[in-house]
Amino acid sequence: MTEVARQGRVARVRARAGTGVRAGLRRARHGLALALQAGVAAGIAWYVAHDVIGRPTPFFAPIAAVITLASSVGQRARRTAELVLGVAIGIGIGDAIILLIGSGPWQIGLIVLLAVVVATAVGGGTPLVVQSASSAVLVATLTSTTGLPWTRFFDALVGGGVGLAVMTVLLPLNPLNVVRRAADPALRALADGLHQVGIGLAERNRDTIADALSNLRTAETSFAAFSSAVTAARENVAFAPARWRSRGALALYVDGANHITYALRNCRVMSRRADTALGDDEPIPEVLAVSVGLLGDAVDLLRQEWAKGVEPVAARERALRAATECGQAYEEGVGFSGGVIVAQVRTAATDILRASGIDYAEAPRLVRRAVGRPHSRRRKPATRPTLGRPPV
């Protein structure tokens, strides 16, 4: 290996290491608030159960507090209920089995088996099943048979209550920060994917289209995190008085999350059809590629305006420009797949308008008006048969 090649490899390794360290620090910074919540809740839960109530070893209390805070975002109330029920099932089965047949390896296996079966039978989700099994194991291995089952259940109840109090009153997370951090990568991914599709259409490059489609598929994960963050923020604002003032700014994300997710799905359909159009060697008017790029601009503007908490006027204007440009594509002539792309651009523009706060009936009307009437202008001859305009 030459010295230049060795130095280049070292530089790349250092760059990747630096990127990884920065990403780790960023994740740690984002998780610091939750870590602080969990630490405070665990300490308070132990103090309340041990020093205030007088329980000798209330280890279920801090466990319940931490699990409550670490539960899936947006479902903490439900998770707390499942936690308490899971503890009750696990403790009840564990104590009953130990009382009847003693403790040992096969008894522990039987306890876990029965706890999981019962938790599943009552319709519990994964947290309930896991908590039932883990509680049963703790009872079978770490506790004596002299303790009353209801005391351990009471510990879990105290811990769950403390966790909810910390989450909603003492140290509530800022819902806007949570949602913005989740929304930013999702919207960036959608905007970048649309820009890639526009470039691929302009250059008639199927590889670029394929890369864009792959990135849009990967964006589903970011959009799922965005949806979960919106649900969590809605719950946080509802139960945390200190965050009630965030309701107005948060409404932009809450009201628009579903519609921007619909736009992602429509854009994936459009990307597949763009690949088909290029594969079939259909005519691709320049304005069609421009309109897809304008959709990407609209999504990026929506991201910026949501982050600033302002009315997304610029995003609406850019989405309507995209609709206008795709309408021009009919004048220049498109094939079957091109017609589908136009329809998807119109639909995605409508989704973006809806995400920006435009009324359900008004958004498609604005898009139809932006597209205009094809028969009001003279059509240019096309190299392939053209299609009539599909409805929005």
Side-chain angles (χ1 to χ4, degrees):
M1 181 183 295
T2 65
E3 181 65 19
V4 174
R6 188 185 66 80
Q7 291 178 354
R9 175 173 291 184
V10 170
R12 288 193 296 273
V13 170
R14 287 178 177 175
R16 286 197 296 269
T19 302
V21 170
R22 287 191 296 272
L25 291 175
R26 185 169 58 253
R27 289 192 296 269
R29 185 174 65 253
H30 292 167
L32 182 60
L34 178 60
L36 181 62
Q37 281 185 329
V40 170
I44 293 177
W46 179 272
Y47 172 78
V48 171
H50 183 269
D51 297 335
V52 177
I53 299 176
R55 292 279 295 120
T57 53
F59 56 83
F60 272 114
I63 289 175
V66 172
I67 291 177
T68 297
L69 288 165
S71 296
S72 299
V73 291
Q75 297 181 333
R76 281 173 168 171
R78 176 187 172 187
R79 293 294 188 253
T80 301
E82 289 191 347
L83 164 70
V84 174
L85 181 58
V87 168
I89 292 173
I91 289 174
I93 292 176
D95 278 327
I97 294 296
I98 292 173
L99 181 64
L100 292 174
I101 58 178
S103 62
W106 73 269
Q107 288 93 337
I108 292 176
L110 179 61
I111 288 170
V112 172
L113 185 151
L114 292 175
V116 171
V117 169
V118 173
T120 304
V122 299
T126 301
L128 188 147
V129 172
V130 170
Q131 190 57 41
S132 298
S134 59
S135 298
V137 171
L138 288 174
V139 168
T141 57
L142 298 180
T143 65
S144 65
T145 58
T146 58
L148 296 175
W150 69 266
T151 58
R152 290 184 284 265
F153 173 79
F154 184 71
D155 292 344
L157 188 62
V158 169
V162 169
L164 287 176
V166 169
M167 175 188 75
T168 58
V169 179
L170 295 181
L171 294 171
L173 297 177
N174 188 328
L176 273 177
N177 288 343
V178 173
V179 171
R180 283 169 180 164
R181 284 199 298 266
D184 189 78
L187 295 175
R188 285 182 185 274
L190 178 55
D192 291 345
L194 286 168
H195 286 141
Q196 275 187 289
V197 173
I199 292 171
L201 285 172
E203 298 176 352
R204 301 190 69 89
N205 189 326
R206 296 186 67 184
D207 290 336
T208 301
I209 298 291
D211 290 341
L213 181 56
S214 176
N215 293 336
L216 289 173
R217 286 170 176 160
T218 304
E220 285 282 359
T221 302
S222 298
F223 272 81
F226 177 30
S227 178
S228 296
V230 166
T231 304
R234 188 188 296 115
E235 177 187 87
N236 188 287
V237 168
F239 291 103
R243 300 303 182 189
W244 285 351
R245 64 180 182 274
S246 301
R247 287 177 175 175
L250 189 61
L252 295 172
Y253 292 96
V254 172
D255 296 339
N258 286 339
H259 300 292
I260 204 66
T261 301
Y262 300 152
L264 169 67
R265 294 168 184 169
N266 285 318
C267 291
R268 285 173 54 182
V269 174
M270 178 180 63
S271 301
R272 290 194 294 271
R273 186 53 63 176
D275 181 69
T276 302
L278 294 178
D280 293 342
D281 197 28
E282 288 189 12
I284 303 294
E286 181 181 351
V287 290
L288 192 55
V290 171
S291 69
V292 176
L294 288 171
L295 276 183
D297 294 344
V299 173
D300 197 49
L301 287 169
L302 185 68
R303 177 187 63 82
Q304 297 175 36
E305 290 172 315
W306 274 357
K308 295 175 183 177
V310 299
E311 191 80 6
V313 176
R316 294 169 186 165
E317 183 272 336
R318 202 62 57 89
L320 290 174
R321 279 185 56 192
T324 300
E325 293 294 330
C326 79
Q328 293 291 332
Y330 277 117
E331 307 303 317
E332 299 185 23
V334 291
F336 177 79
S337 293
V340 175
I341 295 172
V342 171
Q344 291 298 328
V345 169
R346 295 178 62 174
T347 304
T350 303
D351 291 331
I352 294 171
L353 290 180
R354 293 285 290 119
S356 74
I358 298 296
D359 181 74
Y360 174 81
E362 180 70 5
R365 188 187 68 81
L366 290 174
V367 170
R368 284 195 296 270
R369 188 170 66 185
V371 172
R373 298 287 181 183
H375 60 265
S376 63
R377 306 182 185 93
R378 180 181 179 84
R379 288 183 179 273
K380 295 180 181 180
T383 56
R384 299 217 173 206
T386 59
L387 299 178
R389 174 174 301 143
V392 172

